[in-house]
Amino acid sequence: MMKILMLNGPNLNRLGKREPGIYGVSTLKNLEERMINLGKERKMEVVCFQSNHEGELIDKLHEAEDTEIDGVIFNPGAFTHYSYAIRDAIAGITCPVIEVHISNVYQREEFRHKSVVAPVAKGQIAGLGILGYELALEAFKREAGKEEE
Ligand code: DQA
């Protein structure tokens, strides 16, 4: 069974309460439950982790590699724009990472237009709300299907 890690970075624990006009009204708990259930429907195991701490996110990426996670769906929050440590952690593992942003970062402040993570990510989804996480799951599912053909 394919195992996927959904990783959320700083401030995403406050989803639903935090700037709902930008990030929507769904809470992180709702999002995590939804992803776990969607995973079950697709015969995929989804495990979830959120942290406000850069080092903990890096540790999780290393752990994903060591525990043979098949793919990571990762919203690094503001770390996206400046964390070379997170960028290097992704570059240093073979496990594919799809970068997800709830908001359309390219329509927002200029500092959000740059992602230091994107060059080492498998792909990026931005601006589609929490649907972006679901689409990332679908992408991993289809990719696995291709390998089986
Ligand atoms: C975000 C966009 C980032 O710029 C911001 O710092 C976040 C959330 C998003 O999901 O749209 O925390 O990653």
Side-chain angles (χ1 to χ4, degrees), residues 11-26:
N11 299 307
L12 291 159
N13 54 313
R14 295 195 40 82
L15 268 185
K17 298 180 211 109
R18 169 195 188 201
E19 301 183 89
I22 296 175
Y23 298 114
V25 293
S26 173

Side-chain angles (χ1 to χ4, degrees), residues 10-94:
N11 299 307
L12 291 159
N13 54 313
R14 295 195 40 82
L15 268 185
K17 298 180 211 109
R18 169 195 188 201
E19 301 183 89
I22 296 175
Y23 298 114
V25 293
S26 173
T27 62
L28 180 63
K29 192 167 178 285
N30 286 341
L31 168 64
E32 290 182 344
E33 281 171 3
R34 189 166 168 74
M35 292 294 285
I36 290 166
N37 287 333
L38 280 173
K40 279 188 190 144
E41 284 170 21
R42 291 170 170 73
K43 302 203 169 16
M44 300 161 94
E45 185 186 345
V46 178
V47 291
C48 305
F49 184 77
Q50 186 278 332
S51 177
N52 295 322
H53 305 278
E54 189 177 22
E56 280 186 2
L57 294 166
I58 292 168
D59 288 345
K60 260 303 184 217
L61 290 166
H62 296 167
E63 194 187 302
E65 180 85 344
D66 297 339
T67 57
E68 290 172 9
I69 292 271
D70 299 293
V72 181
I73 299 171
F74 189 13
N75 184 345
F79 287 140
T80 307
H81 313 300
Y82 66 92
S83 174
Y84 297 124
I86 285 181
R87 182 240 176 254
D88 282 356
I90 296 171
I93 60 174
T94 57

Side-chain angles (χ1 to χ4, degrees), residues 10-12 18 23 75-81 100-105 108 111-112 133:
N11 299 307
L12 291 159
R18 169 195 188 201
Y23 298 114
N75 184 345
F79 287 140
T80 307
H81 313 300
V100 172
H101 300 288
I102 297 168
S103 65
N104 185 340
V105 282
R108 301 180 62 198
F111 75 89
R112 295 185 206 275
Y133 294 90

